[in-house]
Amino acid sequence: MLLRHTPKEVTERTALTINPAKTCQPIGAMYAALGIHGCLPHSHGSQGCCAYHRSTLTRHYKEPISAATSSFTEGSSVFGGQANLLQAISTIFNVYNPEIIAVHTTCLSETIGDDLPQIMKKSIDEGNTPEGKVVIGASTPSYVGSHVTGFSNMVKAMANIAEPTGKKNGKVNIIPGWVEPCDMEEIKRISAMIGVDITLFPDTSGVLNSPLSGEYTMFPKGGTTIAELKGCANAIGTLALGEWCSADAARFLDTKHKVPCSILDMPFGLKATDRFINALRTVGGTTVPEEITDERGQLVDFISDMHQYFYHKKVAIVGDPDQLISMAEFLMSIDMCPVYVITGTPGKRFEKRIKEITKESPFPVNVKAQGDMFLLHQWIKNDPVDLIIGNTYCKYIARDEDIPLIRWGFPILDRQGHQYFPTVGYKGGIRILEKILSSLLDRNDRDAPEEKFELVF
Amino acid sequence: MPKSKKVVEWKPVDIKTELLKQYPPKVARKRAKQILINEAQENSAPPEIMANVRTIPGIITMRGCTYAGCKGVIMGPTSDIVNLVHGPIGCSFYAWLTRRNQTSASGEKNENFITYCMSTDMQDSDIIFGGEKKLAAAIQEAYDLFHPKSIAVFATCPVGLIGDDIHAVAKRMKEKFGDCNVFAFSCEGYKGVSQSAGHHIANNQVFTHLVGTSTTEKTDKYKINLLGEYNIGGDGFEIDRILKKCGITNIATFSGNSTYDQFASANQADLSCVMCHRSINYVADMLEVKYGIPWIKVNFIGANATAKSLRKIAQYFGDDSLSERVEKVITEEMPSVEAICKNVYPRTEGKKAMMFVGGSRAHHYQELFKEMGMKVLSAGYEFAHRDDYEGRQVLPNLKVDADSRNIEEIHVEPDPSLYKPRKSEDEKSSLEEKGLKFKHYEGLNPDMESGSIVIDDLNQYEAERLVQLMKPDIFCAGIKEKFSIQKMGIPMKQLHSYDSGGPYAGFKGAINFYQEIDRLVNSKVWSLMKAPWEESPELSATYVWE
């Protein structure tokens, strides 16, 4: 047993987090920044932060993750990191020549109180930032919120460069939230089918699922361009997918540039996708084509065909708030029962929302924000589930408790596919169901006694 | 890049110029001192390399931080000490099971906390009002839940800045529990210039709080410590297998597959064998001063190097029966190694490699590449010091800069009751005369071919240029470098975590490595990169249907 020291009895912990269901803000900021075309993310802190974030993102995507660091020393920690950041900006433009640098802070630079806007201004004044190049910055203290918060803060920093021209450009901003590159691609495909011209930001498709061609380029084809980001102020509306990941940026564009926004759930599963597509065609003033309605019908068909295998199966889900909210709703809609729901990200609203979604559940539901996987494991020990949905770290629980696991979320360090096969939209819904069904039925095939072993399901 | 492209032969000095070309003058001046052309050394002073200096801000470095060196590298592989990270959640999260240090602690009786990630998850209120109370509470909760024999506390950046006294908290909790050794590491990420400072800090604390505390007497005949071996991919398992076969007892490995008791008993060994010189030489020195245990440099990477290291150990103990047994083991093991080497040799001979890792692997792995007939064009370390390049004779001349001065040097004296010189000075000199050198490491440079390029703290930009200019057949570094190199069509082998492979140490490890490199440099995938229409884009406007 790999987690054999985990006791069944749940005791209250006030100070110790064990096996977290979150990580820190800066990695989210780094991931978001990779969704800007020609962008080099920059970590204003110790080297280790940058190294850890790059390593984790590399292990998740199996792609090069370029990002620079201010390489703080003890001296800079005492005297402030301004000199380091100024030199970093100058070095980066000289050596790597990106279009834009997206700086995020760390617990180190936040604790000593480095003033990012002031340093960025100084960099322009001193000529470290060449004409036509852009530096944006987000404050991402690691001791507040989680990686999700950092993602949201960087997305807001992206919205901050929007420049109104006074004339609407007829486009709709879509802020997809922390989803995979293929999910971003899928959102673009769906929007094109509906005939809505969108600006998607951030957009990591074409950046973190790039081909192997024999050439390496630090700045691949994908990503939202600076021009597109500037144009966000002129959009006819913004759809923010996910309260935790995307709402701040959308509200910012609404308040500052009067771009009306709508905060939706991430389009995972049938109902959330329905709401997304309905909102998109409304704001875009278009009609949903039959192809989309057919995709929806295929998903409903799948649910009805295989309903007997989903019905009243208990599921533990762990991950980030926006994703879990939509997943819980999707599971409920196919009569599966999310009984344990845990995120490491703080937020009472999350617990409230999950309780609402699961209020019709035939089983009691345990939900916790700012929880950890140690607690999840204890819950499972007390009353097991049929399926776990979460990131790779869940495999230790899954193995100890002999429960099937679907890898979904961040990080996935031991399987492939998440960067290529979307789980948003109706087609993504089918992908999720296929995974659930395969897991449950593989288990059935493994465990069925010979007389109950069946050919046809 | 397609194999058909003509490879231009660059002179090493031109390569160096090319690498520096893009840099602003100040950056170029600094980097120039860290890039060395390994020239013939006759009649002139050996070339000097600048190492263990700050990375220039903005440079995409391979390096990590002091916390990573302390918690991740040295303390991470120990199974029965609870590692508790005091800080915001990230530092603990990223070091959670990501390093492939294997552990044989299965079974209900053994404690194994490696699968657990523990943190005080500091919040903004802890930063403002101080985190000592939360740390004490977290230690208490960990103790109540797991009742471990030891809890190690690690500081992250903000802890040092806000002034939490983690050592006082640890001491208080240790006294409170009575049966749990609680101690702390001030390994804030901003200290030093790389992971290296963290190794040093870890060495000091392990030596201070653990070594020599065991009351169980080890009575085996040939007792050694294996220092600087981290059991990545099971390297330590293979070395232990060989040692056992030879009748040599490994008292303590620092720190692959280690336990609390191993550290506590390290003072009972009669010889320390140093694998990774950079990360652990401090402990080797302190063991000698305090307990009288001499140390030698060994290398179990490469079949010949393994045989040589075993012979060195046997030579030290000076017992014919041990030497005979060692020879017997080598004779038994070598045929299968040689058979595989012979098999892959025609496919690997003449291939070119580059290696930029760690503080010893860029040196050790040259053995394996040599055995396969491969040439190392360029190599360097990520966090080494000058002595790792040029040999320990430079130690007295090393300048201690501000970043190193901040890392504590602990003063050790002979232990009044436990100090026992294992060999008299006469015995040592007689062994030295026979070629067994104590406290000796000659460094990487002498083993590199003349004209090869040695580069300290290689970065992303230089790596890319090096590969473009010199077109190696394989490039070795870490996970962050892996995919940018492979996008260029050059196979990349991780020599930190070994990707999915290993062990590569010892005899069986050599076999694994030969096969792995054969697989990588001859993989069909590198011939699949171009679509047919890209290879011959200009088709004539005729359709050929048959």
Side-chain angles (χ1 to χ4, degrees), chain B residues 8 39 42 70 74 91 139 149 158 180 244-245 315 347 376 396 419 442 444 453 462 488 490 503 508 536:
Chain B
V8 186
E39 282 156 332
E42 282 168 53
C70 180
I74 310 283
C91 303
I139 294 171
K149 50 177 80 79
C180 178
K244 199 172 164 195
K245 204 170 164 184
Q315 193 184 7
R347 294 184 300 278
V376 177
Y419 179 80
E442 80 285 6
L444 162 76
I453 306 172
E462 290 166 10
M488 291 189 268
I490 306 291
K508 289 188 176 166
S536 47

Side-chain angles (χ1 to χ4, degrees), chain A residues 150-216:
Chain A
F151 181 92
S152 169
N153 287 340
M154 182 51 80
V155 176
K156 194 176 169 191
M158 290 161 72
N160 195 29
I161 63 169
E163 282 175 5
T165 56
K167 202 174 151 227
K168 293 285 177 198
N169 62 11
K171 291 172 86 174
V172 175
N173 301 323
I174 297 183
I175 311 179
W178 191 320
V179 291
E180 300 293 353
C182 54
D183 292 319
M184 300 190 184
E185 235 161 55
E186 178 69 356
I187 290 169
K188 288 192 284 188
R189 184 188 71 94
I190 291 170
S191 306
M193 283 172 83
I194 300 177
V196 182
D197 193 5
I198 65 162
T199 301
L200 186 80
F201 75 95
D203 179 7
T204 55
S205 65
V207 180
L208 296 177
N209 53 2
S210 70
L212 176 62
S213 63
E215 310 282 331
Y216 167 68

Side-chain angles (χ1 to χ4, degrees), chain A residues 107-315:
Chain A
C107 47
L108 170 53
S109 51
E110 286 288 336
T111 305
I112 63 175
D114 275 357
D115 181 353
L116 220 49
Q118 178 263 324
I119 301 173
M120 278 153 48
K121 185 176 172 297
K122 200 173 164 72
S123 145
I124 295 170
D125 295 347
E126 292 186 354
N128 283 331
T129 304
E131 196 69 31
K133 302 282 180 177
V134 181
V135 181
I136 61 171
S139 167
T140 54
S142 321
Y143 43 77
V144 175
S146 74
H147 58 294
V148 177
T149 323
F151 181 92
S152 169
N153 287 340
M154 182 51 80
V155 176
K156 194 176 169 191
M158 290 161 72
N160 195 29
I161 63 169
E163 282 175 5
T165 56
K167 202 174 151 227
K168 293 285 177 198
N169 62 11
K171 291 172 86 174
V172 175
N173 301 323
I174 297 183
I175 311 179
W178 191 320
V179 291
E180 300 293 353
C182 54
D183 292 319
M184 300 190 184
E185 235 161 55
E186 178 69 356
I187 290 169
K188 288 192 284 188
R189 184 188 71 94
I190 291 170
S191 306
M193 283 172 83
I194 300 177
V196 182
D197 193 5
I198 65 162
T199 301
L200 186 80
F201 75 95
D203 179 7
T204 55
S205 65
V207 180
L208 296 177
N209 53 2
S210 70
L212 176 62
S213 63
E215 310 282 331
Y216 167 68
T217 167
M218 190 175 276
F219 308 109
K221 279 184 270 189
T224 318
T225 62
I226 296 169
E228 286 174 306
L229 286 176
K230 286 186 174 167
C232 280
N234 310 310
I236 54 175
T238 303
L239 297 183
L241 308 182
E243 173 72 41
W244 271 260
C245 283
S246 310
D248 278 2
R251 291 197 182 109
F252 171 81
L253 288 171
D254 197 333
T255 322
K256 188 155 183 205
H257 302 301
K258 305 291 171 245
V259 180
C261 74
S262 187
I263 318 291
L264 302 169
D265 291 323
M266 282 182 168
F268 295 113
L270 187 77
K271 291 179 176 178
T273 304
D274 281 352
R275 293 194 293 274
F276 165 62
I277 287 175
N278 208 27
L280 187 58
R281 63 126 188 172
T282 310
V283 65
T286 55
T287 312
V288 178
E290 201 178 330
E291 288 91 331
I292 296 272
T293 314
D294 286 347
E295 284 180 14
R296 184 184 190 280
Q298 286 175 330
L299 174 56
V300 178
D301 190 57
F302 194 128
I303 299 169
S304 99
D305 290 348
M306 295 290 139
H307 184 257
Q308 62 270 36
Y309 304 111
F310 300 134
Y311 184 72
H312 283 193
K313 288 282 189 298
K314 291 185 191 172
V315 191

Side-chain angles (χ1 to χ4, degrees), chain B residues 236-369:
Chain B
F237 293 153
E238 166 65 1
I239 298 172
D240 281 348
R241 179 189 73 85
I242 297 168
L243 290 174
K244 199 172 164 195
K245 204 170 164 184
C246 294
I248 299 163
T249 305
N250 180 8
I251 297 286
T253 302
F254 282 57
S255 58
N257 192 33
S258 60
T259 59
Y260 184 92
D261 186 59
Q262 285 189 23
F263 288 135
S265 312
N267 58 304
Q268 300 191 40
D270 294 320
L271 174 69
S272 292
C273 299
V274 173
M275 275 283 282
C276 173
H277 175 259
R278 179 67 271 132
S279 59
I280 212 82
N281 72 84
Y282 320 94
V283 160
D285 281 344
M286 292 187 283
L287 280 168
E288 174 152 32
V289 175
K290 188 165 178 184
Y291 302 108
I293 309 169
W295 70 262
I296 56 170
K297 177 78 181 69
V298 295
N299 174 21
F300 286 100
I301 304 294
N304 296 328
T306 300
K308 198 173 149 193
S309 296
L310 291 172
R311 287 181 179 127
K312 275 165 94 170
I313 297 171
Q315 193 184 7
Y316 171 82
F317 286 105
D319 189 329
D320 287 346
S321 68
L322 177 62
S323 295
E324 277 163 29
R325 195 156 163 192
V326 162
E327 290 308 323
K328 192 164 161 273
V329 169
I330 295 170
T331 315
E332 264 173 38
E333 297 276 340
M334 280 308 262
S336 50
V337 177
E338 281 158 1
I340 301 293
C341 190
K342 202 174 152 199
N343 177 290
V344 303
Y345 200 88
R347 294 184 300 278
T348 54
E349 189 192 8
K351 297 264 198 250
K352 295 160 294 180
M354 289 183 181
M355 274 186 287
F356 296 93
V357 267
S360 75
R361 283 187 175 161
H363 185 191
H364 291 164
Y365 275 81
Q366 309 224 0
E367 292 280 344
L368 281 166
F369 282 122

Side-chain angles (χ1 to χ4, degrees), chain A residues 2-6 14-17 19 22-23 46-47 63 69 74 94 96 143 210 212-214 216 393, chain B residues 22 57-58 60 64 94 96 105 107 110 112 115-117 119 121-122 124 141 157 161 190 193 460 486-487 530:
Chain A
L2 287 155
L3 296 168
R4 58 179 173 269
H5 303 295
T6 306
T14 59
L16 181 66
T17 295
N19 299 353
K22 67 167 178 184
T23 179
S46 299
Q47 273 160 196
E63 288 286 318
T69 163
E74 192 145 6
N94 271 298
Y96 310 107
Y143 43 77
S210 70
L212 176 62
S213 63
Y216 167 68
Y393 283 102
Chain B
Q22 185 85 12
I60 302 179
Y94 304 116
W96 182 18
N110 286 314
N112 180 13
T115 49
Y116 293 91
C117 164
S119 168
D121 187 16
M122 286 177 102
D124 44 358
E141 286 170 6
C157 291
L161 298 173
Y190 55 75
V193 298
Q460 155 104 35
Q486 292 204 160
K487 289 283 186 207
K530 293 291 170 207

Side-chain angles (χ1 to χ4, degrees), chain B residues 204-497:
Chain B
N204 288 350
Q205 296 303 84
V206 167
F207 193 80
T208 307
H209 294 279
L210 293 183
V211 174
T213 58
S214 172
T215 48
T216 327
E217 201 185 335
K218 310 282 178 188
T219 54
D220 302 276
K221 205 166 174 193
Y222 310 112
K223 300 188 290 286
I224 65 158
N225 292 322
L226 185 61
L227 306 183
E229 158 47 52
Y230 300 102
N231 204 26
I232 305 299
D235 275 355
F237 293 153
E238 166 65 1
I239 298 172
D240 281 348
R241 179 189 73 85
I242 297 168
L243 290 174
K244 199 172 164 195
K245 204 170 164 184
C246 294
I248 299 163
T249 305
N250 180 8
I251 297 286
T253 302
F254 282 57
S255 58
N257 192 33
S258 60
T259 59
Y260 184 92
D261 186 59
Q262 285 189 23
F263 288 135
S265 312
N267 58 304
Q268 300 191 40
D270 294 320
L271 174 69
S272 292
C273 299
V274 173
M275 275 283 282
C276 173
H277 175 259
R278 179 67 271 132
S279 59
I280 212 82
N281 72 84
Y282 320 94
V283 160
D285 281 344
M286 292 187 283
L287 280 168
E288 174 152 32
V289 175
K290 188 165 178 184
Y291 302 108
I293 309 169
W295 70 262
I296 56 170
K297 177 78 181 69
V298 295
N299 174 21
F300 286 100
I301 304 294
N304 296 328
T306 300
K308 198 173 149 193
S309 296
L310 291 172
R311 287 181 179 127
K312 275 165 94 170
I313 297 171
Q315 193 184 7
Y316 171 82
F317 286 105
D319 189 329
D320 287 346
S321 68
L322 177 62
S323 295
E324 277 163 29
R325 195 156 163 192
V326 162
E327 290 308 323
K328 192 164 161 273
V329 169
I330 295 170
T331 315
E332 264 173 38
E333 297 276 340
M334 280 308 262
S336 50
V337 177
E338 281 158 1
I340 301 293
C341 190
K342 202 174 152 199
N343 177 290
V344 303
Y345 200 88
R347 294 184 300 278
T348 54
E349 189 192 8
K351 297 264 198 250
K352 295 160 294 180
M354 289 183 181
M355 274 186 287
F356 296 93
V357 267
S360 75
R361 283 187 175 161
H363 185 191
H364 291 164
Y365 275 81
Q366 309 224 0
E367 292 280 344
L368 281 166
F369 282 122
K370 264 181 216 156
E371 287 169 1
M372 304 166 79
M374 291 175 67
K375 183 179 156 87
V376 177
L377 297 178
S378 183
Y381 299 125
E382 184 180 325
F383 48 75
H385 302 193
R386 264 186 67 198
D387 41 319
D388 303 299
Y389 288 104
E390 300 169 48
R392 282 177 67 92
Q393 72 280 359
V394 303
L395 279 174
N397 310 322
L398 284 194
K399 269 186 263 159
V400 181
D401 61 14
D403 298 307
S404 301
R405 203 171 297 121
N406 292 334
I407 309 304
E408 188 192 16
E409 287 278 352
I410 54 174
H411 182 70
V412 176
E413 292 201 352
D415 189 280
S417 57
L418 298 172
Y419 179 80
K420 184 177 67 125
R422 304 313 202 258
K423 297 272 179 195
S424 69
E425 283 310 313
D426 284 353
E427 284 170 326
K428 273 167 89 175
S429 359
S430 136
L431 281 168
E432 291 251 3
E433 273 164 32
K434 288 177 197 152
L436 185 71
K437 291 180 177 163
F438 293 99
K439 283 184 84 157
H440 175 80
Y441 177 45
E442 80 285 6
L444 162 76
N445 296 3
D447 273 349
M448 296 274 299
E449 273 186 32
S450 176
S452 59
I453 306 172
V454 180
I455 307 178
D456 181 61
D457 187 20
L458 184 86
N459 58 56
Q460 155 104 35
Y461 167 76
E462 290 166 10
E464 191 187 331
R465 288 300 290 147
L466 262 189
V467 168
Q468 285 166 346
L469 295 169
M470 299 181 85
K471 300 183 171 49
D473 297 289
I474 189 161
F475 189 96
C476 308
I479 181 72
K480 302 190 295 300
E481 294 74 42
K482 185 172 177 82
F483 299 103
S484 57
I485 301 293
Q486 292 204 160
K487 289 283 186 207
M488 291 189 268
I490 306 291
M492 150 79 206
K493 178 68 189 167
Q494 286 188 63
L495 281 188
H496 291 279
S497 75

